[in-house]
Amino acid sequence: MAITMGEKIKIIANRRGVTLAQLAEMTNQSRQNMSNKMKRDNFSEKELQEIGEVLNCDFIGKFRMRDTGEEI
C-alpha cells in the first residue's frame, strides 16, 4: 500500500520537530484547514512546494512515461 502525501508530510514534520499546528501557521493556514487537507490528502502542487520550503525539503512532483521513461 502506497504512503499518502499527508503521511509523508507528517513524517517530515515530525523529523523536523514541527507540529501540524505549527506547520499550518508557517504556511499561513488555519489549523482546521491543514487538518482537513491532511485527512483528505488534498494538496495542490503549489502547497506541497510551500510545505517543502518551510520544512527545508525539496518537493519533486513528476510523471514518468512507462514505455519511454520520459519524465514530465
Side-chain angles (χ1 to χ4, degrees):
M1 186 170 162
I3 187 170
T4 67
M5 194 58 67
E7 291 169 329
K8 291 176 185 182
I9 292 168
K10 286 180 186 178
I11 291 168
I12 295 167
N14 186 282
R15 290 183 183 176
R16 297 289 191 218
V18 174
T19 67
L20 292 180
Q22 290 170 323
L23 181 59
E25 184 177 325
M26 295 164 75
T27 57
N28 298 312
Q29 298 183 54
S30 68
R31 287 177 40 181
Q32 186 63 46
N33 189 46
M34 178 61 76
S35 177
N36 288 340
K37 288 182 179 292
M38 297 296 275
K39 286 178 188 175
R40 295 181 183 127
D41 200 40
N42 183 21
F43 300 92
S44 69
E45 185 172 349
K46 181 179 176 184
E47 289 171 323
L48 293 170
Q49 290 172 342
E50 184 178 0
I51 290 168
E53 189 65 33
V54 299
L55 293 176
N56 195 28
C57 297
D58 294 320
F59 171 73
I60 304 166
K62 58 186 169 184
F63 292 97
R64 180 178 299 131
M65 297 177 72
R66 293 181 184 142
D67 56 346
T68 66
E70 179 184 6
E71 293 182 344
I72 300 173

